[in-house]
Amino acid sequence: MTANIEATLTDQRSETIQLVTFRVNQIILGVEISHVQEINRHLDITGVPQASPMIHGVVNLRGDVVTVLDPHRVFGIEREGIDADQRNLILNIDGERIGVLVDQVSDILTIHPSELSRRPSNVRSIDRQFVESVYLRDEEIVVVLNAFQLLEVVEDHSAAAIANPRINT
Amino acid sequence: MNHEHIVTLTKDYIAMQDAELICEFVEEAQEHLGGIEMQLLQVEALGADINDDLVNTVFRAIHSIKGAAGFLSLVEINKVAHRLENVLGKVREHQLVPDPYNVDVMLKAADRLRKLIESVDSSNDTDNGAICDSLDSLLTKSDAAPSTPAVTQEIRVEEKVLADESSSPNADAIATPDDTSERAEATLATIKTEIDKQVNESGTTPKSSGSPKAASSKAKGSASNSRANSSDTTIRVGVRVLDRLMNLAGELVLSRNQLLRVLGEQSTTGSNIDVIVSGLDQVTTELQETIMQTRMQPIGNVFNKFPRVIRDLSASLGKNITLKMEGTEVETDKTIVEAIADPLTHLVRNSCDHGIETPQVRAEAGKPDQGTVILRAFHKAGKVMIEILDDGGGMDPKRFRANAIKKGVLTEEAAKQMSDQDAVNLIFAPGFSTAASVTSVSGRGVGMDVVRTNIENIGGSVEVESKRGLGSTIRITLPLTLAIVPSMIVSVNDQPYALPQANIVELVQTGGQEKRIETVSNSEVLRLRGSLIPLFRLHEALSLRASSEVVSREESQLVVLEAGRSRFAVAVDRVLDSEEIVVKPLGRHLKNLPLLAGSTILGDGRVAMILDAAGIASRMAIVNESDSPSMESAHESMSAGLEDKQRMVLFSLSEHDHFAVTMDIVSRIERVRREAFDSIGDRQVLQYRGGTLQLLEVNEAIPVKFVDETEHLHVIVFKVCGHEVGLIAPHLNDIRDCDISRITEVSGQNGTAGVTVIENRTTRILDLYGITESARPEWFARFKASAEKDAEQHPLRILICEDSPFFLGFLTRTLKGEGHQVTACEDGAEGWEVLVDEANEFDLLLTDVEMPVLDGLALTKRVRDDARLRDLPVIALTSLADLESIQRGQEAGVNDYQVKMNKPELLASILRLTVEVR
């Protein structure tokens, strides 16, 4: 994706890009629409014993079992109760599907790539490693996520969980 | 299944094998090479920060190519792969830093390999000297770099052993480390050709002649011939299509389950939709089974490559080895057949290399020159077993222990306490390898732990048994199929989990009887039929928080599981259902959790985790049950009480009619769908396991109020007069020990042995033989005609010794009913007194085996030792006779064994044994 954005940034004649934006607590996050397979209300999540705390569990997505992440735990954002607008955002990253249980799906932004500022130093709300770029919409900051990094970090964490299960208890 | 088939290696056979093997090799090698470019690039990117797993993956891929190429006489491929492997070996040992230059050479080598494999037939005519030299130069470069003396020494030692093993007169040629291995291999090659020549001349082992190329072209011809012949009945279908079909069938099964569940909830419909659904249900099941069959392949597909492997190995190792194969027709899922090929090859090579001794050693040990390796496949308990037996030198547990301590796998203390059996199984422990030698046969460091991992990845297990001097047996257990797993769905904290049936030994309901659960040094154990089984609360094993709705200890149900050689019980909140589940893979983040074997989607759409019994066992560090014999016997004596405990199967026809059957005479219990029943005339039968099982309903023989119509039924299978019969039980409640000392006898009802109260329910104890007699009188005609007439004309005087009042009463009534005179005693000692007092008063002794004070066998011995009683016929009464007790009985002098309540056969046996009296 890094390469993608780079390509689009340098290509002045490029088309617009679309971001699906969603809310985790008070933070607005966005992810490129090409990574979003669907948004649904599959909230009947089955817990997985001994999985990383970043993982909510799994859901039945039309006959396939898909892992669902807890963005609060992944990004280190506080949780304030359960939101009635919760949605399961199913991402498809290079053929791998993963769900993210977000507090609310906001809207789809159509922007020009040049409007994105890359790797800003002023984003402190979430870990920099997940941040691809940011976009300023009115007063709000939309943090555009690096979806690949999302997969990698959780993977590292589950490996650690196996090595020492006590980390999570 | 065990018919042996010794493969004769004819020339054509070898040729055909070659062509097939080469095809397979090309496919496999291309697969291996497919990922290598990426992996090498990753290795390069990491630089000095070497990722061992990654390097290992590349190393193993090249290693397999090298090995296979060696066997197929693809010398050039073998040569390049060997050099590349050497380089990767250095990287793996952190002696060579993968810089861009190094990786470049490795990539070029991989490219060359790919080219050679693409045109495999002409590969031997190519010249790869340049690439080999550049690979070798990497080695010298790394040798120049400082390395620790210890490592160098190790290499030297290994190479020395290698040279020794080749048992060549040139073996003393140990020069510089890097040319030794080459020279040794060259020597090996010479020996191989020499042996080949000799073998050829003596003609003991048939072998192929001519060049591999000629052989393979010949094979192509014969292969196309056979294809033409068989084209009438078979059709080639892409595996992808089959896989897709398989997935669709899986989805259909799920949808069917959902439909059944929904309809089950609205059972009031009563319309003909039920008929439609049951039709759908049947078709789905059959469809699924048929598709499964298309994926079944004979294990022979893998075995067939071993005659060649063994032949070549015999030659290269200078050993004389024959291979016998049994059960090549045993079928298992394609995926499994494919996945087992590599581990099996490794194990067979290992048996030849380290197991079978050289002819001299064998001669010294007084064994025949020729060593034998047996490959055997068979079905056992719904699984496929593969055994690799060799009659070689066996493994030395002492050496294993020492080695384990040396390598830090075990502490000295732990090693001392380890049994020999466990010690030889250390061979599968990571970082453990028996031979310090590196040969081209068993490889270097691609160890047995990899073999075990590969087998476990497909749901199997492997263990080894070895007798020093006599040989070793490696036993692999494999599932029949990977895709659909019959499972038991249990619930913990209101969440469903699936436990594969293959791991389940039995379900135990504590039914408030917590006394069966005891605490031994802070951990719980379950007392089950005299043995103690470790018990765990599943929610603890899974580290779940205690549930909001806590199911009390008393209400929890226990499932006894078996994983490998360990047996243990887990407590679950509820047992929900048994279901044929379709395994769904978990995403990469959840793949490595040791407690889980995957996931599935249940009939109601919920996701359930499939639990891995082996994972739970290792998490709970379960020791073998055999470690606690003293505890067992202690509890055995504790449980002997005054009550008349009998193990009973409890079932109901409806809420009004409850029945019990003594477990002693039950062969097994099956759970079936009602639709599976067929009828022949007015009789119900069940087609299964290729046979027909006659079915009986309780209400055919005795009056009942109501019989519930349930979707699933249990069939209690027992044997009578040589017929196997199933009694239909709509609701199976429990199987447990019941106190039947306070039984009320009912007369005039053939089929009921008595009435008692079990769990506050009035329960009728059934006489299965009586029921059968009422319902199927014709089966008994033969026995009856003769037995009854004789009893009337020649009443016999029979002494019965039986400690259970229930059975004593039953037997007394039965035999008196036949017109015999009966004397009843409650144990062997009492019986002995009666016998001694009135030595000539009895024509026959009928005795239980297990009795307090003096048991049946001891009583029989006394009878046989007494001059007056020596010829008294003795029938021992038992539960379903097991061979061991029959043998013990015969040694003691018992004339016949009979099952306690099997009246017709008991009477026939009495008749037989008392012919002379009359």
Side-chain angles (χ1 to χ4, degrees):
Chain A
M1 180 163 166
T2 312
N4 254 347
I5 298 251
E6 214 140 33
T8 36
L9 281 175
T10 48
D11 188 356
Q12 290 302 314
R13 292 164 298 144
S14 73
E15 300 291 311
T16 52
I17 58 166
Q18 290 190 306
L19 294 176
V20 175
T21 65
F22 54 93
R23 198 169 53 71
V24 178
N25 200 343
Q26 298 307 318
I27 315 281
I28 310 284
L29 299 159
V31 65
E32 216 188 314
I33 201 163
S34 61
H35 291 310
V36 178
Q37 176 177 323
E38 65 181 273
I39 297 160
N40 61 41
R41 303 189 64 163
H42 285 310
L43 304 177
D44 182 15
I45 296 172
T46 305
V48 180
Q50 299 220 295
S52 150
M54 293 188 184
I55 293 168
H56 247 305
V58 292
V59 287
N60 168 10
L61 188 70
R62 292 182 300 281
D64 285 326
V65 175
V66 174
T67 311
V68 179
L69 298 179
D70 179 352
H72 296 92
R73 299 295 286 266
V74 175
F75 304 130
I77 302 171
E78 240 173 84
R79 188 200 313 272
E80 290 176 3
I82 290 169
D83 214 302
D85 294 321
Q86 267 194 339
R87 289 291 184 279
N88 202 344
L89 184 70
I90 309 284
L91 304 179
N92 190 327
I93 304 160
D94 269 3
E96 249 184 290
R97 283 187 292 183
I98 191 157
V100 183
L101 193 66
V102 303
D103 291 338
Q104 189 183 39
V105 172
S106 314
D107 48 17
I108 296 170
L109 298 178
T110 306
I111 57 168
H112 200 269
S114 60
E115 293 176 84
L116 292 169
S117 11
R118 285 177 38 79
R119 302 258 174 181
S121 53
N122 59 343
V123 178
R124 296 218 171 72
S125 50
I126 72 168
D127 198 326
R128 288 262 302 279
Q129 61 176 321
F130 299 112
V131 183
E132 177 70 39
S133 54
V134 294
Y135 168 69
L136 271 171
R137 180 181 61 179
D138 307 330
E139 300 290 281
E140 283 177 335
I141 295 179
V142 178
V143 179
V144 182
L145 292 174
N146 177 337
F148 292 94
Q149 195 60 27
L150 204 63
L151 279 183
E152 296 300 323
V153 165
V154 178
E155 187 167 42
D156 284 355
H157 206 94
S158 30
I162 296 157
N164 185 1
R166 278 194 203 157
I167 289 174
N168 300 312
T169 49
Chain B
M1 176 166 20
N2 266 339
H3 58 85
E4 190 172 299
H5 123 235
I6 300 170
V7 176
T8 329
L9 302 178
T10 64
K11 284 177 193 169
D12 282 354
Y13 185 81
I14 287 279
M16 196 179 75
Q17 295 301 313
D18 270 353
E20 269 177 27
L21 286 175
I22 287 176
C23 267
E24 253 173 53
F25 164 72
V26 169
E27 263 176 41
E28 204 182 284
Q30 279 171 342
E31 208 177 291
H32 281 311
L33 287 171
I36 276 185
E37 191 165 352
M38 266 320 271
Q39 287 156 351
L40 280 176
L41 289 172
Q42 273 173 292
V43 169
E44 181 181 2
L46 290 169
D49 185 12
I50 291 169
N51 177 340
D52 291 337
D53 286 349
L54 190 62
V55 177
N56 256 325
T57 312
V58 183
F59 181 86
R60 282 201 292 262
I62 297 297
H63 176 79
S64 343
I65 294 174
K66 181 196 84 169
F71 281 116
L72 295 166
S73 307
L74 300 167
V75 285
E76 288 300 321
I77 295 175
N78 176 270
K79 200 163 98 185
V80 177
H82 180 70
R83 306 298 161 96
L84 180 53
E85 187 191 1
N86 282 340
V87 173
L88 286 163
K90 290 276 180 195
V91 176
R92 195 165 71 148
E93 286 157 18
H94 294 225
Q95 291 180 7
L96 179 68
V97 176
D99 59 21
Y101 172 73
N102 296 342
V103 173
D104 196 44
V105 176
M106 289 188 249
L107 282 170
K108 275 188 184 138
D111 289 345
R112 176 63 61 90
L113 277 177
R114 196 171 301 124
K115 273 207 195 102
L116 289 174
I117 284 159
E118 265 165 20
S119 46
V120 65
D121 283 348
S122 57
S123 72
N124 281 357
D125 307 331
T126 54
D127 174 22
N128 300 290
I131 188 85
C132 288
D133 288 348
S134 51
L135 281 167
D136 285 349
S137 70
L138 294 185
L139 291 180
T140 34
K141 201 173 96 182
S142 80
D143 274 0
S147 61
T148 57
V151 176
T152 326
Q153 202 162 15
E154 201 173 272
I155 297 167
R156 274 175 196 278
V157 169
E158 282 177 359
E159 277 159 357
K160 188 166 187 312
V161 177
L162 166 69
D164 285 347
E165 280 214 356
S166 68
S167 66
S168 104
N170 304 338
D172 53 350
I174 296 172
T176 57
D178 44 346
D179 85 18
T180 314
S181 64
E182 248 184 84
R183 216 183 267 198
E185 264 182 27
T187 333
L188 264 176
T190 339
I191 293 171
K192 184 182 150 178
T193 12
E194 267 170 24
I195 291 173
D196 273 1
K197 223 183 282 166
Q198 283 170 8
V199 167
N200 226 4
E201 279 159 13
S202 64
T204 44
T205 316
K207 62 166 298 221
S208 74
S209 56
S211 70
K213 247 169 102 182
S216 65
S217 62
K218 207 189 292 172
K220 266 175 207 149
S222 65
S224 56
N225 276 349
S226 65
R227 199 174 300 150
N229 293 339
S230 59
S231 65
D232 304 340
T233 48
T234 58
I235 178 170
R236 280 170 164 253
V237 178
V239 174
R240 228 176 252 176
V241 178
L242 288 183
D243 285 346
R244 180 96 191 106
L245 267 179
M246 185 83 167
N247 279 339
L248 288 173
E251 285 307 306
L252 190 58
V253 169
L254 288 178
S255 304
R256 188 244 351 233
N257 290 353
Q258 281 169 357
L259 187 62
L260 289 176
R261 196 174 290 239
V262 170
L263 281 171
E265 281 161 9
Q266 308 164 341
S267 55
T268 46
T269 46
S271 59
N272 52 7
I273 197 159
D274 290 350
V275 183
I276 301 168
V277 169
S278 78
L280 177 71
D281 183 16
Q282 253 170 351
V283 172
T284 311
T285 310
E286 272 178 43
L287 180 69
Q288 184 207 337
E289 280 168 6
T290 315
I291 293 174
M292 297 281 288
Q293 265 171 27
T294 63
R295 295 182 51 90
M296 297 300 262
Q297 289 195 332
I299 204 94
N301 287 7
V302 178
F303 280 13
N304 281 343
K305 74 172 180 182
F306 288 111
R308 170 66 190 268
V309 169
I310 295 272
R311 173 189 156 279
D312 288 359
L313 275 177
S314 307
S316 66
L317 291 169
K319 294 177 183 177
N320 190 352
I321 307 171
T322 55
L323 174 70
K324 292 183 183 176
M325 304 197 291
E326 298 169 18
T328 49
E329 75 286 353
V330 169
E331 288 193 327
T332 178
D333 194 276
K334 179 178 183 300
T335 332
I336 296 172
V337 172
E338 281 168 3
I340 198 65
D342 274 352
L344 210 53
T345 311
H346 200 99
L347 290 172
V348 169
R349 285 187 206 173
N350 223 59
S351 292
C352 295
D353 195 11
H354 303 302
I356 304 282
E357 316 91 324
T358 54
Q360 298 102 295
V361 177
R362 291 185 68 87
E364 280 162 27
K367 294 183 183 181
D369 279 10
Q370 195 170 53
T372 309
V373 172
I374 302 176
L375 262 179
R376 176 189 290 159
F378 54 96
H379 286 289
K380 188 182 167 191
K383 300 203 163 186
V384 175
M385 312 284 291
I386 299 176
E387 288 179 347
I388 303 152
L389 293 85
D390 70 65
D391 65 348
M395 300 173 188
D396 184 359
K398 272 187 215 141
R399 237 184 72 213
F400 277 75
R401 285 200 191 90
N403 207 354
I405 296 167
K406 204 176 82 194
K407 300 209 170 175
V409 179
L410 280 181
T411 63
E412 227 164 289
E413 190 58 26
K416 217 180 275 174
Q417 288 180 354
M418 182 172 265
S419 68
D420 285 359
Q421 165 73 14
D422 288 341
V424 292
N425 274 291
L426 279 173
I427 195 171
F428 297 114
F432 194 95
S433 169
T434 44
S437 58
V438 177
T439 70
S440 69
V441 173
S442 46
R444 54 181 116 183
V446 181
M448 296 284 267
D449 58 323
V450 179
V451 170
R452 185 179 72 171
T453 314
N454 286 345
I455 291 173
E456 283 176 353
N457 281 348
I458 50 170
S461 62
V462 58
E463 60 176 3
V464 61
E465 252 174 54
S466 185
K467 285 224 171 75
R468 191 93 186 102
L470 296 176
S472 311
T473 302
I474 295 165
R475 195 168 292 122
I476 305 173
T477 311
L478 295 171
L480 267 179
T481 169
L482 292 177
I484 295 185
V485 185
S487 295
M488 196 67 91
I489 312 297
V490 301
S491 128
V492 178
N493 287 9
D494 274 337
Q495 276 231 19
Y497 292 91
L499 278 167
Q501 291 277 17
N503 292 119
I504 298 183
V505 182
E506 67 179 305
L507 300 180
V508 180
Q509 228 159 9
T510 52
Q513 288 188 313
E514 270 295 294
K515 63 182 171 188
R516 296 181 63 171
I517 298 174
E518 289 165 29
T519 309
V520 175
S521 54
N522 283 336
S523 48
E524 287 183 299
V525 292
L526 169 69
R527 183 153 51 77
L528 190 65
R529 287 188 293 281
S531 62
L532 294 178
I533 299 173
L535 171 70
F536 307 99
R537 305 282 155 181
L538 194 52
H539 71 89
E540 285 172 14
L542 300 176
S543 321
L544 303 173
R545 268 173 231 101
S547 65
S548 46
E549 172 231 13
V550 179
V551 173
S552 70
R553 282 164 60 108
E554 285 73 24
E555 282 169 33
S556 59
Q557 294 192 332
L558 308 182
V559 184
V560 180
L561 299 175
E562 200 169 50
R565 293 193 302 135
S566 54
R567 187 178 268 222
F568 60 100
V570 292
V572 300
D573 294 349
R574 263 182 293 274
V575 172
L576 300 176
D577 201 358
S578 74
E579 232 175 82
E580 300 238 305
I581 59 170
V582 179
V583 180
K584 302 275 179 183
L586 285 168
R588 65 158 133 168
H589 308 107
L590 302 171
K591 221 157 215 160
N592 295 322
L593 297 177
L595 298 180
L596 304 178
S599 64
T600 187
I601 295 171
L602 299 178
D604 62 1
R606 279 195 294 175
V607 181
M609 294 297 143
I610 303 169
L611 298 178
D612 181 26
I616 296 176
S618 68
R619 180 181 162 86
M620 290 306 179
I622 288 160
V623 290
N624 274 323
E625 55 172 324
S626 55
D627 295 346
S628 53
S630 56
M631 286 207 302
E632 279 176 35
S633 50
H635 284 276
E636 195 93 286
S637 58
M638 259 171 58
S639 60
L642 289 170
E643 303 159 298
D644 185 6
K645 286 263 182 177
Q646 295 295 330
R647 195 154 182 80
M648 305 295 257
V649 182
L650 305 177
F651 69 95
S652 309
L653 300 189
S654 65
E655 54 180 317
H656 307 290
D657 296 288
H658 308 289
F659 298 94
V661 173
T662 160
M663 191 63 194
D664 286 349
I665 52 180
V666 174
S667 318
R668 62 187 183 278
I669 298 175
E670 304 269 347
R671 186 169 185 270
V672 293
R673 289 178 179 279
R674 186 175 284 275
E675 303 93 68
F677 292 174
D678 277 340
S679 48
I680 297 176
D682 57 345
R683 301 261 165 94
Q684 293 193 85
V685 295
L686 179 65
Q687 305 285 353
Y688 89 126
R689 292 187 192 169
T692 305
L693 181 70
Q694 304 247 20
L695 296 176
L696 275 182
E697 287 202 81
V698 177
N699 54 3
E700 288 182 55
I702 51 179
V704 299
K705 284 202 185 102
F706 191 76
V707 183
D708 282 349
E709 289 277 328
T710 53
E711 183 195 345
H712 283 99
L713 295 165
H714 293 88
V715 175
I716 300 171
V717 183
F718 60 101
K719 260 198 179 139
V720 57
C721 305
H723 297 267
E724 204 160 55
V725 189
L727 182 73
I728 299 173
H731 307 283
L732 190 76
N733 302 329
D734 202 355
I735 298 172
R736 63 182 184 85
D737 294 332
C738 299
D739 179 11
I740 51 168
S741 54
R742 305 177 63 182
I743 191 167
T744 319
E745 284 152 20
V746 282
S747 51
Q749 233 183 50
N750 200 0
T752 313
V755 177
T756 190
V757 176
I758 297 172
E759 285 177 349
N760 297 324
R761 287 169 173 169
T762 306
T763 304
R764 280 179 267 182
I765 297 177
L766 292 178
D767 164 14
L768 287 184
Y769 300 104
I771 289 193
T772 319
E773 195 176 346
S774 303
R776 303 279 185 273
E778 67 276 14
W779 294 351
F780 294 81
R782 184 161 51 96
F783 290 97
K784 265 201 127 121
S786 49
E788 263 180 9
K789 204 165 63 197
D790 279 309
E792 274 166 31
Q793 288 165 8
H794 307 279
L796 295 167
R797 295 160 300 171
I798 300 174
L799 179 69
I800 308 178
C801 298
E802 164 65 69
D803 62 321
S804 154
F806 167 69
F807 284 120
L808 188 58
F810 180 79
L811 288 165
T812 310
R813 276 199 313 283
T814 307
L815 293 174
K816 278 188 176 161
E818 297 293 325
H820 300 300
Q821 290 173 20
V822 179
T823 309
C825 300
E826 280 180 5
D827 65 57
E830 198 185 323
W832 177 242
E833 278 173 31
V834 176
L835 276 175
V836 171
D837 285 353
E838 311 163 56
N840 296 318
E841 293 302 307
F842 296 101
D843 302 318
L844 184 93
L845 170 62
L846 209 55
T847 178
D848 188 14
V849 176
E850 301 294 334
M851 284 186 294
V853 193
L854 183 67
D855 71 24
L857 298 184
L859 174 64
T860 309
K861 276 192 196 123
R862 286 196 194 180
V863 168
R864 291 289 171 255
D865 290 342
D866 188 298
R868 294 170 301 163
L869 295 168
R870 194 175 292 142
D871 298 324
L872 181 70
V874 178
I875 298 177
L877 295 170
T878 167
S879 345
L880 269 192
D882 57 302
L883 286 172
E884 194 195 342
S885 64
I886 288 182
Q887 200 186 346
R888 281 196 300 135
Q890 277 167 351
E891 282 160 15
V894 167
N895 297 80
D896 196 11
Y897 258 97
Q898 287 299 325
V899 175
K900 278 175 187 172
M901 289 182 84
N902 192 344
K903 181 175 147 189
E905 283 176 31
L906 176 60
L907 293 179
S909 168
I910 291 175
L911 188 69
R912 224 171 27 243
L913 290 172
T914 53
V915 167
E916 287 162 33
V917 178
R918 294 190 305 271

